[in-house]
Amino acid sequence: MASCPGGLVIIAAMAKGSPRKKSSAGRSGSSRKQSTSRRRWFWSLLWRLALVALVILVGWTVYLDAKVTSRFEGRRFEVPSYVYARPLELYEGAGVSADALQRELQMANYSRAAGDRPGTFSRNGSRFVIHTRGFRFADGVEPARQIRLTISGDQIQRMSALSGPAAPIMRLEPVQIGGIYPASQEDRVLVQLDEVPALLVETLLAVEDRDFFSHHGVSPMAIARAMVANLRAGDIVQGGSTITQQLVKNFFLTRDQTLVRKANEALMSLLLELHYGKRDILETYLNEVYLGQAGARGVHGVGLASQFYFARPVAELGVHEIALLVGLIKGASYYDPRRNPERARARRDLVIGVMEERGLIDRNAALRAKGQPLDVRDKPSWSANRYPAYIDLVRRHLARDYRDEDLRSEGLRIFTTLDPAIQYAAEYAVRQTLDSMDDGQDARLESALVVTARDSGEVVALVGGRDPDFAGFNRALDATRPIGSLIKPFIYLVALQRPEDYTLITPVQDKGFSLVFDDGRRWEPKNYDKEERGEVPLHEALAKSYNLPAVRVGLDVGVEAVRETLQMLGVTSPVSRYPSMLLGSVSMTPVTVAQLYQSLATSGFNTPLRSIRQVTDADGEPLSRYHLEVNQVADPAAVHLVQYAMQETVQEGTGRSVYRYLPDELSVAGKTGTTDDGRDSWFAGFSGDYLAVAWLGRDDNGPTRFTGATGALPVWAGFMSRVPQHGLSPVVPDGVNYHWVDDQQQALTEEGCNNARLMPFIAGSEPKQRVSCDGQFTRRIRSWFQGLFR
């Protein structure tokens, strides 16, 4: 009996313990469930995050892909528009001096050598041998030739082609005189891969990316080599970036050394290689790589760098020059050969060593290349606009037809009318004349000179100030100043178009008078010398620039008629209707005066001035042609009479000091102009070939001690004396006849008589009265006897 209770106790105890074991197992199962749930939640979150990251990565890749392709499709670069001078045409009889020819060859970066390879010339006195490079003009390709020519008397006497096709006229490639650059200030000369020497390409790959043709944008082998080299050196001495990565970095990214940028660089490099071939990428790199700095503009690409450092096209580079260009890629500023020649030489020689090691050149070639000097030009040949004042005129003319953003980015080629030889003479004349005139009083003298081809209106030279390299205030285009007596030929032109009233021998009154206006103001014009001469022939009044006759004639024909004539001849700015306009109170710029006088030089045709002949696209296809435009606006017979009086001006009148500078046999026509206190000194005139307008004065409009004859005339004549040209021989128009006359008596006479002058008349306006030499002799005897008894 006793055992039963105990057994019951044991059973009861077992019964009590059983629920505790069941509860522990339940908790353990719950934990496992929770852990599994957490793992499932973690992996679910991870997969979701991975999916989001994948979506972001895909989206980012799509964005980068669009960015990469958009830059490479169509226009890849903002390429400046290049501005060229006129091509120099060589033919027997062409007017060019030996020194001018040599200067132009040197401006075109020809080197003086044996003349046996493109871009070289040799000179022996007046004999030249020139090996031209050839050039693609809009009207066809001018082939490379070897030319032999002889110059005598500032003319080509004999010319022949030693190699290449012969032709009666052979053109040199035009000199680049400037450019219109992108806002990014990047400058480059685009080259195709086939135009780059194979040695340069092979050297580039040997130094920068040996595995270029085997990797897909990123090279693990290059990265490994760079890591080993850097660990050995204890510094960063080598990079692992491929050419594709360098191109991506230059094109799209900053130079920040961050993991994000490096990741973008790698991804974009893969995308670039996915879309484009190796040759395309390599050619783009050759045009993009940064190789120097020209002032504010970056020098990009091997095409421009070759010109910038060696003044030669990239196709003409030697081994040592190729090595230097490739060496500069590592650090164009650090290895700048002009500022750091020793560093540059060491870097160049290192590259030459790589060229030898890779079998690109042999041992002897490497030794010869290392023995060469750097051969870098002292001054960059491609660093700035050569003629900023002229480029200013070109840009203003281009603005009529082209948007500025197109000029800055489309790589247009603009062929201008500038003649480098004429420009050189113009700049020299301005600089030399101002230097000779400077003293303590007039140290701030400035000048401007505009030169055009007389028959076409092409602007062949333009100087905006005494410092032609200064790209600032352009006096030729923007200095609006009173023109003084330069207006007088146009007053007399209006009068001479009325032959029934005026001829060159018509007496005009050189007597003082006054005008009283409605408001009570009084105007009393005076001659410059304050003298009065009574009656004088019209041609003398113009040649000697008397004020009073000009005003009287102007009032007679009408101020409005004079104003309308100025506007018909090309003046677009407002012209005063006040009588003071007849003494030149109207203000114009030198280029406007040149436009005005162009009409006198071309016998009454309004010939708009031109600075551009043609514009082509980057491939040489013509876009615009600027042809000669003429419009007859003045009677050529009356203009011929004015030309006669302007020739008299330089022979007997206010411009007679011209022949202190010019040979007597060079016939020219001109007119002086002076404003109050010598504030503005002008001279405008023309020969058989050129018209030039010179201005001299101060920017602050202060007085000077110069007149038109003592200030601007020496600038004009100094220029004309340095230019080969023909004298003025005006064509006599229909309806004009020459007669021997005695202008004092307004009568016809014989050739041998005293006071006889051969003068032009519009048919029917010549004098009807005739005097003989006998009558002149009788008058001289009578005058002699009267003098005895006074």
Side-chain angles (χ1 to χ4, degrees), residues 425-426 428-434 436-437 447 449 654-655 657-662 672 681-684 694-696 706-722:
Y428 185 89
V430 168
R431 183 171 55 249
Q432 184 192 53
T433 305
L434 291 185
S436 69
M437 290 177 174
S447 184
L449 186 62
T654 57
S657 59
V658 157
Y659 285 102
R660 296 178 188 171
Y661 305 86
L662 303 182
T672 55
S681 169
W682 293 89
F683 193 87
W695 168 86
L696 183 144
F706 299 104
T707 64
T710 60
L713 184 150
V715 175
W716 185 93
F719 159 73
M720 284 288 191
S721 68
R722 291 176 175 84

mmCIF file of all heavy atoms in Angstrom, residues 425-426 428-434 436-437 447 449 654-655 657-662 672 681-684 694-696 706-722:
data_model
loop_
_atom_site.group_PDB
_atom_site.id
_atom_site.type_symbol
_atom_site.label_atom_id
_atom_site.label_comp_id
_atom_site.label_asym_id
_atom_site.label_seq_id
_atom_site.Cartn_x
_atom_site.Cartn_y
_atom_site.Cartn_z
ATOM 1 N N ALA A 425 53.819 96.764 -95.196
ATOM 2 C CA ALA A 425 54.205 98.133 -95.555
ATOM 3 C C ALA A 425 53.345 99.150 -94.814
ATOM 4 O O ALA A 425 53.845 100.206 -94.379
ATOM 5 C CB ALA A 425 54.073 98.334 -97.063
ATOM 6 N N ALA A 426 52.058 98.862 -94.634
ATOM 7 C CA ALA A 426 51.171 99.785 -93.931
ATOM 8 C C ALA A 426 51.560 99.904 -92.458
ATOM 9 O O ALA A 426 51.622 101.010 -91.907
ATOM 10 C CB ALA A 426 49.723 99.316 -94.067
ATOM 11 N N TYR A 428 54.451 99.276 -91.111
ATOM 12 C CA TYR A 428 55.769 99.914 -91.026
ATOM 13 C C TYR A 428 55.644 101.424 -91.181
ATOM 14 O O TYR A 428 56.283 102.189 -90.448
ATOM 15 C CB TYR A 428 56.677 99.339 -92.106
ATOM 16 C CG TYR A 428 58.109 99.838 -92.032
ATOM 17 C CD1 TYR A 428 59.052 99.172 -91.260
ATOM 18 C CD2 TYR A 428 58.512 100.974 -92.727
ATOM 19 C CE1 TYR A 428 60.357 99.611 -91.183
ATOM 20 C CE2 TYR A 428 59.809 101.431 -92.662
ATOM 21 C CZ TYR A 428 60.735 100.760 -91.892
ATOM 22 O OH TYR A 428 62.028 101.207 -91.806
ATOM 23 N N ALA A 429 54.821 101.870 -92.134
ATOM 24 C CA ALA A 429 54.667 103.307 -92.370
ATOM 25 C C ALA A 429 54.061 103.999 -91.157
ATOM 26 O O ALA A 429 54.501 105.088 -90.756
ATOM 27 C CB ALA A 429 53.796 103.536 -93.603
ATOM 28 N N VAL A 430 53.054 103.397 -90.555
ATOM 29 C CA VAL A 430 52.427 104.004 -89.376
ATOM 30 C C VAL A 430 53.420 104.079 -88.227
ATOM 31 O O VAL A 430 53.596 105.133 -87.592
ATOM 32 C CB VAL A 430 51.169 103.194 -88.964
ATOM 33 C CG1 VAL A 430 50.689 103.631 -87.579
ATOM 34 C CG2 VAL A 430 50.062 103.384 -89.989
ATOM 35 N N ARG A 431 54.066 102.981 -87.945
ATOM 36 C CA ARG A 431 54.990 102.935 -86.808
ATOM 37 C C ARG A 431 56.164 103.891 -87.004
ATOM 38 O O ARG A 431 56.508 104.678 -86.102
ATOM 39 C CB ARG A 431 55.481 101.511 -86.620
ATOM 40 C CG ARG A 431 56.400 101.302 -85.418
ATOM 41 C CD ARG A 431 56.651 99.836 -85.180
ATOM 42 N NE ARG A 431 57.176 99.176 -86.354
ATOM 43 C CZ ARG A 431 56.493 98.278 -87.083
ATOM 44 N NH1 ARG A 431 55.256 97.961 -86.742
ATOM 45 N NH2 ARG A 431 57.045 97.712 -88.145
ATOM 46 N N GLN A 432 56.784 103.854 -88.172
ATOM 47 C CA GLN A 432 57.954 104.690 -88.408
ATOM 48 C C GLN A 432 57.596 106.173 -88.396
ATOM 49 O O GLN A 432 58.318 106.991 -87.810
ATOM 50 C CB GLN A 432 58.606 104.334 -89.745
ATOM 51 C CG GLN A 432 59.903 105.102 -90.011
ATOM 52 C CD GLN A 432 60.367 104.969 -91.433
ATOM 53 O OE1 GLN A 432 59.601 105.232 -92.356
ATOM 54 N NE2 GLN A 432 61.612 104.562 -91.610
ATOM 55 N N THR A 433 56.473 106.542 -89.009
ATOM 56 C CA THR A 433 56.092 107.949 -89.063
ATOM 57 C C THR A 433 55.766 108.482 -87.675
ATOM 58 O O THR A 433 56.208 109.580 -87.298
ATOM 59 C CB THR A 433 54.887 108.140 -90.005
ATOM 60 O OG1 THR A 433 55.193 107.584 -91.284
ATOM 61 C CG2 THR A 433 54.561 109.618 -90.166
ATOM 62 N N LEU A 434 55.015 107.735 -86.895
ATOM 63 C CA LEU A 434 54.677 108.200 -85.548
ATOM 64 C C LEU A 434 55.919 108.298 -84.677
ATOM 65 O O LEU A 434 56.060 109.236 -83.883
ATOM 66 C CB LEU A 434 53.647 107.272 -84.917
ATOM 67 C CG LEU A 434 52.243 107.305 -85.523
ATOM 68 C CD1 LEU A 434 51.301 106.422 -84.715
ATOM 69 C CD2 LEU A 434 51.684 108.711 -85.587
ATOM 70 N N SER A 436 58.880 109.031 -85.631
ATOM 71 C CA SER A 436 59.652 110.216 -86.029
ATOM 72 C C SER A 436 58.988 111.510 -85.593
ATOM 73 O O SER A 436 59.647 112.537 -85.468
ATOM 74 C CB SER A 436 59.841 110.221 -87.549
ATOM 75 O OG SER A 436 58.602 110.448 -88.211
ATOM 76 N N MET A 437 57.677 111.485 -85.361
ATOM 77 C CA MET A 437 56.942 112.696 -84.990
ATOM 78 C C MET A 437 56.845 112.886 -83.489
ATOM 79 O O MET A 437 56.531 113.981 -83.028
ATOM 80 C CB MET A 437 55.519 112.645 -85.569
ATOM 81 C CG MET A 437 55.446 112.784 -87.069
ATOM 82 S SD MET A 437 53.746 112.631 -87.641
ATOM 83 C CE MET A 437 53.951 113.024 -89.381
ATOM 84 N N SER A 447 47.402 106.786 -85.077
ATOM 85 C CA SER A 447 47.137 106.835 -86.506
ATOM 86 C C SER A 447 46.337 105.611 -86.920
ATOM 87 O O SER A 447 46.300 104.603 -86.206
ATOM 88 C CB SER A 447 48.444 106.902 -87.298
ATOM 89 O OG SER A 447 48.195 107.040 -88.681
ATOM 90 N N LEU A 449 45.220 103.514 -90.830
ATOM 91 C CA LEU A 449 45.454 103.465 -92.270
ATOM 92 C C LEU A 449 44.597 102.357 -92.860
ATOM 93 O O LEU A 449 44.603 101.226 -92.369
ATOM 94 C CB LEU A 449 46.936 103.200 -92.554
ATOM 95 C CG LEU A 449 47.404 103.242 -94.007
ATOM 96 C CD1 LEU A 449 47.190 104.625 -94.612
ATOM 97 C CD2 LEU A 449 48.876 102.854 -94.106
ATOM 98 N N THR A 654 48.161 121.472 -101.944
ATOM 99 C CA THR A 654 48.482 121.191 -100.544
ATOM 100 C C THR A 654 49.162 119.850 -100.339
ATOM 101 O O THR A 654 49.758 119.598 -99.289
ATOM 102 C CB THR A 654 47.192 121.223 -99.695
ATOM 103 O OG1 THR A 654 46.256 120.279 -100.242
ATOM 104 C CG2 THR A 654 46.577 122.614 -99.686
ATOM 105 N N GLY A 655 49.080 118.965 -101.334
ATOM 106 C CA GLY A 655 49.703 117.651 -101.189
ATOM 107 C C GLY A 655 51.014 117.511 -101.939
ATOM 108 O O GLY A 655 51.502 116.393 -102.111
ATOM 109 N N SER A 657 54.015 117.851 -101.123
ATOM 110 C CA SER A 657 55.133 117.201 -100.415
ATOM 111 C C SER A 657 55.111 115.687 -100.580
ATOM 112 O O SER A 657 56.043 114.997 -100.150
ATOM 113 C CB SER A 657 55.102 117.568 -98.930
ATOM 114 O OG SER A 657 53.876 117.181 -98.330
ATOM 115 N N VAL A 658 54.067 115.141 -101.219
ATOM 116 C CA VAL A 658 54.044 113.706 -101.514
ATOM 117 C C VAL A 658 55.294 113.287 -102.263
ATOM 118 O O VAL A 658 55.869 112.207 -102.025
ATOM 119 C CB VAL A 658 52.771 113.369 -102.333
ATOM 120 C CG1 VAL A 658 52.957 112.082 -103.131
ATOM 121 C CG2 VAL A 658 51.568 113.209 -101.404
ATOM 122 N N TYR A 659 55.758 114.152 -103.162
ATOM 123 C CA TYR A 659 56.884 113.761 -104.005
ATOM 124 C C TYR A 659 58.236 113.928 -103.322
ATOM 125 O O TYR A 659 59.277 113.747 -103.949
ATOM 126 C CB TYR A 659 56.810 114.502 -105.335
ATOM 127 C CG TYR A 659 55.712 113.902 -106.208
ATOM 128 C CD1 TYR A 659 54.485 114.534 -106.341
ATOM 129 C CD2 TYR A 659 55.896 112.670 -106.818
ATOM 130 C CE1 TYR A 659 53.471 113.970 -107.100
ATOM 131 C CE2 TYR A 659 54.887 112.093 -107.573
ATOM 132 C CZ TYR A 659 53.679 112.743 -107.715
ATOM 133 O OH TYR A 659 52.670 112.159 -108.452
ATOM 134 N N ARG A 660 58.231 114.238 -102.043
ATOM 135 C CA ARG A 660 59.445 114.055 -101.252
ATOM 136 C C ARG A 660 59.665 112.573 -100.961
ATOM 137 O O ARG A 660 60.780 112.158 -100.625
ATOM 138 C CB ARG A 660 59.339 114.810 -99.926
ATOM 139 C CG ARG A 660 59.246 116.320 -100.055
ATOM 140 C CD ARG A 660 59.096 116.925 -98.672
ATOM 141 N NE ARG A 660 58.822 118.355 -98.723
ATOM 142 C CZ ARG A 660 58.474 119.094 -97.671
ATOM 143 N NH1 ARG A 660 58.371 118.514 -96.468
ATOM 144 N NH2 ARG A 660 58.238 120.390 -97.806
ATOM 145 N N TYR A 661 58.593 111.797 -101.043
ATOM 146 C CA TYR A 661 58.644 110.379 -100.710
ATOM 147 C C TYR A 661 58.541 109.494 -101.954
ATOM 148 O O TYR A 661 59.116 108.416 -101.986
ATOM 149 C CB TYR A 661 57.489 110.002 -99.771
ATOM 150 C CG TYR A 661 57.413 110.819 -98.506
ATOM 151 C CD1 TYR A 661 56.738 112.051 -98.475
ATOM 152 C CD2 TYR A 661 58.004 110.379 -97.327
ATOM 153 C CE1 TYR A 661 56.660 112.807 -97.312
ATOM 154 C CE2 TYR A 661 57.927 111.115 -96.160
ATOM 155 C CZ TYR A 661 57.256 112.338 -96.163
ATOM 156 O OH TYR A 661 57.183 113.085 -95.015
ATOM 157 N N LEU A 662 57.774 109.948 -102.957
ATOM 158 C CA LEU A 662 57.495 109.121 -104.123
ATOM 159 C C LEU A 662 58.346 109.555 -105.313
ATOM 160 O O LEU A 662 58.677 110.743 -105.445
ATOM 161 C CB LEU A 662 56.010 109.218 -104.508
ATOM 162 C CG LEU A 662 54.980 108.840 -103.451
ATOM 163 C CD1 LEU A 662 53.573 108.940 -104.029
ATOM 164 C CD2 LEU A 662 55.234 107.451 -102.906
ATOM 165 N N THR A 672 44.289 116.512 -98.992
ATOM 166 C CA THR A 672 44.576 116.705 -97.573
ATOM 167 C C THR A 672 43.304 117.090 -96.832
ATOM 168 O O THR A 672 42.346 117.591 -97.418
ATOM 169 C CB THR A 672 45.614 117.816 -97.393
ATOM 170 O OG1 THR A 672 45.131 118.998 -98.045
ATOM 171 C CG2 THR A 672 46.951 117.423 -97.972
ATOM 172 N N SER A 681 44.217 115.067 -88.637
ATOM 173 C CA SER A 681 45.011 115.219 -89.850
ATOM 174 C C SER A 681 44.670 114.046 -90.767
ATOM 175 O O SER A 681 44.747 112.891 -90.360
ATOM 176 C CB SER A 681 46.507 115.215 -89.497
ATOM 177 O OG SER A 681 47.304 115.120 -90.653
ATOM 178 N N TRP A 682 44.262 114.360 -92.004
ATOM 179 C CA TRP A 682 43.812 113.342 -92.945
ATOM 180 C C TRP A 682 44.584 113.449 -94.258
ATOM 181 O O TRP A 682 45.006 114.522 -94.668
ATOM 182 C CB TRP A 682 42.334 113.514 -93.288
ATOM 183 C CG TRP A 682 41.337 113.278 -92.204
ATOM 184 C CD1 TRP A 682 40.859 114.200 -91.316
ATOM 185 C CD2 TRP A 682 40.663 112.050 -91.913
ATOM 186 N NE1 TRP A 682 39.927 113.636 -90.488
ATOM 187 C CE2 TRP A 682 39.775 112.306 -90.828
ATOM 188 C CE3 TRP A 682 40.702 110.773 -92.454
ATOM 189 C CZ2 TRP A 682 38.960 111.325 -90.296
ATOM 190 C CZ3 TRP A 682 39.882 109.793 -91.929
ATOM 191 C CH2 TRP A 682 39.024 110.064 -90.845
ATOM 192 N N PHE A 683 44.728 112.319 -94.922
ATOM 193 C CA PHE A 683 45.118 112.316 -96.325
ATOM 194 C C PHE A 683 44.487 111.105 -96.987
ATOM 195 O O PHE A 683 44.576 109.975 -96.471
ATOM 196 C CB PHE A 683 46.635 112.271 -96.521
ATOM 197 C CG PHE A 683 47.031 112.576 -97.945
ATOM 198 C CD1 PHE A 683 47.226 113.885 -98.355
ATOM 199 C CD2 PHE A 683 47.175 111.565 -98.891
ATOM 200 C CE1 PHE A 683 47.565 114.186 -99.668
ATOM 201 C CE2 PHE A 683 47.512 111.852 -100.202
ATOM 202 C CZ PHE A 683 47.709 113.168 -100.593
ATOM 203 N N ALA A 684 43.816 111.348 -98.112
ATOM 204 C CA ALA A 684 43.207 110.272 -98.900
ATOM 205 C C ALA A 684 43.695 110.401 -100.332
ATOM 206 O O ALA A 684 43.736 111.504 -100.879
ATOM 207 C CB ALA A 684 41.681 110.361 -98.850
ATOM 208 N N ALA A 694 44.643 107.798 -94.683
ATOM 209 C CA ALA A 694 45.413 107.882 -93.444
ATOM 210 C C ALA A 694 44.802 108.944 -92.540
ATOM 211 O O ALA A 694 44.423 110.025 -93.002
ATOM 212 C CB ALA A 694 46.871 108.221 -93.741
ATOM 213 N N TRP A 695 44.730 108.617 -91.259
ATOM 214 C CA TRP A 695 44.298 109.585 -90.232
ATOM 215 C C TRP A 695 45.371 109.644 -89.162
ATOM 216 O O TRP A 695 45.989 108.619 -88.822
ATOM 217 C CB TRP A 695 42.973 109.162 -89.609
ATOM 218 C CG TRP A 695 42.637 109.954 -88.375
ATOM 219 C CD1 TRP A 695 41.996 111.149 -88.313
ATOM 220 C CD2 TRP A 695 42.942 109.590 -87.009
ATOM 221 N NE1 TRP A 695 41.881 111.568 -87.017
ATOM 222 C CE2 TRP A 695 42.459 110.641 -86.193
ATOM 223 C CE3 TRP A 695 43.588 108.512 -86.420
ATOM 224 C CZ2 TRP A 695 42.595 110.616 -84.808
ATOM 225 C CZ3 TRP A 695 43.735 108.488 -85.041
ATOM 226 C CH2 TRP A 695 43.234 109.528 -84.246
ATOM 227 N N LEU A 696 45.573 110.835 -88.606
ATOM 228 C CA LEU A 696 46.521 111.014 -87.511
ATOM 229 C C LEU A 696 45.926 112.001 -86.509
ATOM 230 O O LEU A 696 45.348 113.021 -86.914
ATOM 231 C CB LEU A 696 47.857 111.513 -88.038
ATOM 232 C CG LEU A 696 49.004 111.695 -87.030
ATOM 233 C CD1 LEU A 696 50.336 111.317 -87.666
ATOM 234 C CD2 LEU A 696 49.074 113.141 -86.534
ATOM 235 N N PHE A 706 50.003 119.413 -86.293
ATOM 236 C CA PHE A 706 50.060 118.878 -87.638
ATOM 237 C C PHE A 706 48.851 119.261 -88.475
ATOM 238 O O PHE A 706 47.719 119.335 -87.972
ATOM 239 C CB PHE A 706 50.176 117.353 -87.600
ATOM 240 C CG PHE A 706 51.411 116.875 -86.911
ATOM 241 C CD1 PHE A 706 51.351 116.351 -85.631
ATOM 242 C CD2 PHE A 706 52.641 116.953 -87.543
ATOM 243 C CE1 PHE A 706 52.487 115.926 -84.993
ATOM 244 C CE2 PHE A 706 53.793 116.520 -86.908
ATOM 245 C CZ PHE A 706 53.716 116.008 -85.634
ATOM 246 N N THR A 707 49.089 119.464 -89.758
ATOM 247 C CA THR A 707 48.028 119.604 -90.748
ATOM 248 C C THR A 707 47.921 118.288 -91.509
ATOM 249 O O THR A 707 48.674 117.345 -91.265
ATOM 250 C CB THR A 707 48.368 120.730 -91.731
ATOM 251 O OG1 THR A 707 49.548 120.351 -92.465
ATOM 252 C CG2 THR A 707 48.610 122.048 -91.000
ATOM 253 N N GLY A 708 46.998 118.260 -92.460
ATOM 254 C CA GLY A 708 46.914 117.073 -93.291
ATOM 255 C C GLY A 708 48.198 116.822 -94.050
ATOM 256 O O GLY A 708 48.600 115.674 -94.259
ATOM 257 N N ALA A 709 48.875 117.907 -94.460
ATOM 258 C CA ALA A 709 50.102 117.783 -95.245
ATOM 259 C C ALA A 709 51.302 117.375 -94.411
ATOM 260 O O ALA A 709 52.224 116.731 -94.917
ATOM 261 C CB ALA A 709 50.395 119.094 -95.967
ATOM 262 N N THR A 710 51.321 117.725 -93.131
ATOM 263 C CA THR A 710 52.486 117.419 -92.299
ATOM 264 C C THR A 710 52.271 116.220 -91.387
ATOM 265 O O THR A 710 53.232 115.713 -90.797
ATOM 266 C CB THR A 710 52.859 118.635 -91.427
ATOM 267 O OG1 THR A 710 51.749 118.960 -90.572
ATOM 268 C CG2 THR A 710 53.193 119.835 -92.297
ATOM 269 N N GLY A 711 51.035 115.758 -91.238
ATOM 270 C CA GLY A 711 50.744 114.641 -90.348
ATOM 271 C C GLY A 711 50.370 113.367 -91.080
ATOM 272 O O GLY A 711 51.155 112.416 -91.174
ATOM 273 N N ALA A 712 49.153 113.332 -91.639
ATOM 274 C CA ALA A 712 48.676 112.117 -92.300
ATOM 275 C C ALA A 712 49.374 111.856 -93.621
ATOM 276 O O ALA A 712 49.584 110.703 -94.009
ATOM 277 C CB ALA A 712 47.164 112.201 -92.510
ATOM 278 N N LEU A 713 49.747 112.941 -94.338
ATOM 279 C CA LEU A 713 50.401 112.738 -95.640
ATOM 280 C C LEU A 713 51.682 111.916 -95.524
ATOM 281 O O LEU A 713 51.896 111.006 -96.333
ATOM 282 C CB LEU A 713 50.663 114.079 -96.325
ATOM 283 C CG LEU A 713 51.255 114.039 -97.726
ATOM 284 C CD1 LEU A 713 50.792 115.238 -98.544
ATOM 285 C CD2 LEU A 713 52.785 114.000 -97.716
ATOM 286 N N PRO A 714 52.571 112.192 -94.564
ATOM 287 C CA PRO A 714 53.766 111.337 -94.452
ATOM 288 C C PRO A 714 53.446 109.867 -94.184
ATOM 289 O O PRO A 714 54.180 108.984 -94.645
ATOM 290 C CB PRO A 714 54.530 111.966 -93.289
ATOM 291 C CG PRO A 714 54.104 113.395 -93.283
ATOM 292 C CD PRO A 714 52.660 113.360 -93.671
ATOM 293 N N VAL A 715 52.369 109.591 -93.440
ATOM 294 C CA VAL A 715 51.969 108.197 -93.229
ATOM 295 C C VAL A 715 51.572 107.578 -94.565
ATOM 296 O O VAL A 715 52.033 106.488 -94.937
ATOM 297 C CB VAL A 715 50.802 108.106 -92.227
ATOM 298 C CG1 VAL A 715 50.307 106.657 -92.109
ATOM 299 C CG2 VAL A 715 51.219 108.637 -90.867
ATOM 300 N N TRP A 716 50.723 108.294 -95.301
ATOM 301 C CA TRP A 716 50.221 107.812 -96.594
ATOM 302 C C TRP A 716 51.366 107.620 -97.581
ATOM 303 O O TRP A 716 51.492 106.566 -98.221
ATOM 304 C CB TRP A 716 49.210 108.821 -97.126
ATOM 305 C CG TRP A 716 48.514 108.435 -98.389
ATOM 306 C CD1 TRP A 716 47.324 107.791 -98.501
ATOM 307 C CD2 TRP A 716 48.960 108.690 -99.741
ATOM 308 N NE1 TRP A 716 46.996 107.622 -99.833
ATOM 309 C CE2 TRP A 716 47.980 108.172 -100.610
ATOM 310 C CE3 TRP A 716 50.077 109.306 -100.282
ATOM 311 C CZ2 TRP A 716 48.093 108.243 -101.993
ATOM 312 C CZ3 TRP A 716 50.202 109.375 -101.665
ATOM 313 C CH2 TRP A 716 49.223 108.851 -102.509
ATOM 314 N N ALA A 717 52.204 108.644 -97.718
ATOM 315 C CA ALA A 717 53.292 108.586 -98.690
ATOM 316 C C ALA A 717 54.353 107.569 -98.272
ATOM 317 O O ALA A 717 54.949 106.892 -99.123
ATOM 318 C CB ALA A 717 53.916 109.967 -98.855
ATOM 319 N N GLY A 718 54.602 107.451 -96.966
ATOM 320 C CA GLY A 718 55.547 106.449 -96.500
ATOM 321 C C GLY A 718 55.092 105.053 -96.859
ATOM 322 O O GLY A 718 55.908 104.181 -97.200
ATOM 323 N N PHE A 719 53.790 104.813 -96.791
ATOM 324 C CA PHE A 719 53.259 103.516 -97.207
ATOM 325 C C PHE A 719 53.396 103.336 -98.718
ATOM 326 O O PHE A 719 53.919 102.316 -99.192
ATOM 327 C CB PHE A 719 51.792 103.396 -96.805
ATOM 328 C CG PHE A 719 51.046 102.366 -97.597
ATOM 329 C CD1 PHE A 719 51.264 101.017 -97.375
ATOM 330 C CD2 PHE A 719 50.154 102.751 -98.593
ATOM 331 C CE1 PHE A 719 50.594 100.060 -98.137
ATOM 332 C CE2 PHE A 719 49.488 101.809 -99.349
ATOM 333 C CZ PHE A 719 49.710 100.458 -99.126
ATOM 334 N N MET A 720 52.940 104.338 -99.480
ATOM 335 C CA MET A 720 52.951 104.214 -100.943
ATOM 336 C C MET A 720 54.365 104.009 -101.491
ATOM 337 O O MET A 720 54.564 103.330 -102.498
ATOM 338 C CB MET A 720 52.313 105.451 -101.573
ATOM 339 C CG MET A 720 50.800 105.488 -101.478
ATOM 340 S SD MET A 720 50.053 104.275 -102.586
ATOM 341 C CE MET A 720 48.321 104.759 -102.524
ATOM 342 N N SER A 721 55.351 104.579 -100.814
ATOM 343 C CA SER A 721 56.726 104.483 -101.310
ATOM 344 C C SER A 721 57.302 103.084 -101.163
ATOM 345 O O SER A 721 58.339 102.776 -101.755
ATOM 346 C CB SER A 721 57.613 105.487 -100.575
ATOM 347 O OG SER A 721 57.762 105.123 -99.210
ATOM 348 N N ARG A 722 56.650 102.214 -100.365
ATOM 349 C CA ARG A 722 57.181 100.877 -100.092
ATOM 350 C C ARG A 722 56.441 99.776 -100.837
ATOM 351 O O ARG A 722 56.704 98.599 -100.606
ATOM 352 C CB ARG A 722 57.123 100.603 -98.589
ATOM 353 C CG ARG A 722 58.104 101.445 -97.803
ATOM 354 C CD ARG A 722 57.960 101.234 -96.302
ATOM 355 N NE ARG A 722 58.993 101.971 -95.602
ATOM 356 C CZ ARG A 722 58.903 103.254 -95.289
ATOM 357 N NH1 ARG A 722 57.800 103.931 -95.582
ATOM 358 N NH2 ARG A 722 59.888 103.877 -94.676
#
